[in-house]
Amino acid sequence: MAINHLAPETGQMADNVVGFARALRAAGIPVGPGTVIDALNALQVIEIGNRADVFTTLQAVFVKRHEHALIFAQAFALFFRAAEEWKHMLDSVPLPDHARKKPPPASRRVQEALSQPRMNEVPQVQEQELRLSVSDREVLQKKDFAQMSAAEIAAVTRAIAQMRLPQAELRTRRYQPDARGLRLDMRRTLRGSLRTGGDIIDIHRLGRIDKPAPIVALLDISGSMSEYTRLFLHFLHAITDARKRVSVFLFGTRLTNVTRSLRARDPDEALASCSSTVQDWAGGTRIATSLHTFNKLWGRRVLGQGAIVLLISDGLEREADTKLAFEMDRLHRSCRRLIWLNPLLRYGGFEAKAQGIKMMLPHVDEFRPVHNLSSMEGLIAALSSAPPPHHRSLIRSAA
């Protein structure tokens, strides 16, 4: 049925569907013009006045992946909440159960998408902001995470989501067919020579199999580290799609494994799942106890095959004693590379005066800041390159 044959009373509905599709696209759901046409055609065969039917119809057309269902339900509730033609139906028609649940973790992102101006409305203030976007990005690269506003944190989150970690390959002991390999594949060579009776021998070779090194992240979630840890979780979520072997642990007064929670496709849903799993967020810090738990219960499980460990902490341990040095040494000996990311390095005159930092520092390979976008880009470059030739290189680049 053609779209232009819509009833006169549904003409505003067509405009609403187009605007709703734009909001879904801004919120992260891929919606194209063809999908909008399908939605308008589907609405002509149902009862427009039935809110539940419209919800189910649009969901069937717009939602193609399971993780987009929560975003769609939240966007639908916000977008059509003030529709005048449905005011008398808000309480009379029951919505599906998943549409009445608590707003999903992506609700803030949906609200921001709905508050954006229309495509054909570009105010002069927005044009001025576009002119300053280059310099603003330069400032954003150097600005401390703890000093950012909510809008700046949202911009940084989007920038972190676009970061990609090149595959730093780790050579294994296994082989695979490789025309440029240095090892002779005797089995394939002899099998191929049987076809010609041994008159012609085609030499087959083997080469080493390279795999990306596993990454294990230990993140401090104490009160002084909560802002940095939350943004670094966005970075870990972004690289988890490219690297499947990423293990993430959060520690404050206890150790919590959030690897499975961070594998959710939607970043807001993943971070909300991590927050609900952890019971000591923004509390105290017991680094030695947490490292002891990790070394005892998880070290042999996740530190094999040349794992790279990222320790994100300010090192301000309340119980700094020889136990902390022992657990750090044990962790260092169990991994291929131990990189300590400390936001205190943002200060130019930083000195390792705290007792906990003094005990931890001798047992790390690299010492880096993690307080802004520039420091994260430096970490990506470090992870993508080969480890330094000397055993311990304390890098203090306060980017």
Side-chain angles (χ1 to χ4, degrees):
M1 187 180 296
I3 302 175
N4 53 9
H5 292 295
L6 284 170
E9 60 271 13
T10 62
Q12 186 177 0
M13 176 60 65
D15 295 336
N16 287 338
V17 171
V18 174
F20 181 54
R22 291 176 179 172
L24 291 179
R25 187 161 49 247
I29 299 179
V31 177
T35 309
V36 177
I37 295 176
D38 293 340
L40 293 175
N41 288 332
L43 290 176
Q44 297 181 59
V45 298
I46 67 170
E47 184 182 353
I48 277 293
N50 191 321
R51 182 183 176 94
D53 289 348
V54 174
F55 177 90
T56 305
T57 301
L58 294 181
Q59 184 186 43
V61 176
F62 287 134
V63 178
K64 305 299 182 183
R65 302 174 67 172
H66 175 71
E67 59 268 17
H68 293 159
L70 293 176
I71 300 177
F72 173 86
Q74 178 69 10
F76 184 89
L78 292 176
F79 191 88
F80 293 106
R81 181 172 53 190
E84 294 181 358
E85 60 269 23
W86 282 349
K87 282 185 178 180
H88 63 287
M89 300 182 183
L90 292 180
D91 298 326
S92 60
V93 180
L95 285 176
D97 293 337
H98 57 276
R100 289 187 175 273
K101 288 183 179 180
K102 183 180 178 180
S107 59
R108 186 181 65 179
R109 190 174 68 199
V110 173
Q111 292 175 359
E112 292 176 355
L114 294 179
S115 63
Q116 291 181 357
R118 296 180 179 269
M119 299 295 294
N120 55 357
E121 298 179 0
V122 183
Q124 295 181 356
V125 178
Q126 186 176 357
E127 293 180 356
Q128 184 177 2
E129 291 178 354
L130 291 176
R131 297 172 187 171
L132 300 177
S133 60
V134 176
S135 59
D136 290 344
R137 282 196 296 267
E138 293 178 355
V139 173
L140 208 60
Q141 288 281 335
K142 304 291 184 180
K143 193 167 186 179
D144 194 328
F145 290 149
Q147 300 176 356
M148 290 183 176
S149 62
E152 290 173 335
I153 290 179
V156 167
T157 302
R158 290 191 293 269
I160 291 175
Q162 298 176 358
M163 290 183 176
R164 293 295 178 266
L165 182 63
Q167 300 293 327
E169 302 296 338
L170 178 64
R171 179 148 295 185
T172 66
R173 296 182 180 181
R174 303 183 65 180
Y175 288 86
Q176 65 181 355
D178 187 356
R180 299 182 180 181
L182 301 179
R183 184 171 180 175
L184 178 64
D185 189 352
M186 186 63 68
R187 178 178 297 178
R188 294 177 64 232
T189 300
L190 294 178
R191 184 179 300 171
S193 65
L194 295 177
R195 301 174 183 175
T196 60
D199 295 336
I200 301 177
I201 300 178
D202 188 9
I203 303 298
H204 295 272
R205 299 181 180 277
L206 293 173
R208 288 286 183 89
I209 298 177
D210 295 335
K211 290 185 178 180
I215 293 180
V216 179
L218 301 173
L219 285 74
D220 188 346
I221 55 172
S222 59
S224 59
M225 288 291 300
S226 58
E227 288 295 331
Y228 303 100
T229 298
R230 192 177 298 275
L231 289 174
F232 198 82
L233 281 173
H234 280 279
F235 168 75
L236 292 175
H237 182 270
I239 69 174
T240 300
D241 293 337
R243 289 188 177 217
K244 299 304 179 184
R245 297 193 298 174
V246 177
S247 302
V248 183
F249 298 83
L250 305 181
F251 68 90
T253 57
R254 68 190 72 181
L255 183 75
T256 306
N257 186 0
V258 295
T259 303
R260 183 171 298 179
S261 300
L262 204 63
R263 287 177 181 172
R265 290 185 178 272
D266 186 82
D268 295 321
E269 182 181 353
L271 265 68
S273 179
C274 291
S275 300
S276 62
T277 304
V278 177
Q279 300 178 0
D280 55 341
W281 191 286
T285 309
R286 292 180 178 176
I287 303 177
T289 304
S290 301
L291 291 181
H292 173 74
T293 304
F294 175 80
N295 290 330
K296 183 178 180 180
L297 300 180
W298 298 99
R300 293 186 178 181
R301 304 184 190 182
V302 299
L303 292 182
Q305 302 180 359
I308 299 175
V309 176
L310 304 178
L311 178 62
I312 298 90
S313 175
D314 52 12
L316 302 180
E317 167 67 293
R318 63 170 64 179
E319 300 173 354
D321 51 16
T322 56
K323 180 181 178 181
L324 175 60
F326 174 81
E327 297 298 340
M328 280 294 298
D329 181 64
R330 182 178 177 183
L331 177 63
H332 186 209
R333 293 175 183 272
S334 302
C335 65
R336 174 171 174 251
R337 201 168 161 196
L338 178 55
I339 302 176
W340 184 8
L341 305 173
N342 193 331
L344 294 180
L345 284 178
R346 66 185 183 274
Y347 301 114
F350 171 79
E351 296 181 4
K353 294 183 178 180
Q355 189 66 19
I357 298 178
K358 290 181 179 180
M359 291 186 173
M360 296 171 63
L361 200 55
H363 306 287
V364 301
D365 296 314
E366 298 181 30
F367 195 31
R368 292 182 170 274
V370 61
H371 62 286
N372 55 21
L373 282 177
S374 296
S375 60
M376 283 194 174
E377 292 175 353
L379 174 63
I380 291 178
L383 292 176
S384 306
S385 61
H390 47 287
H391 186 57
R392 295 172 181 170
S393 63
L394 299 184
I395 301 178
R396 292 182 50 191
S397 56

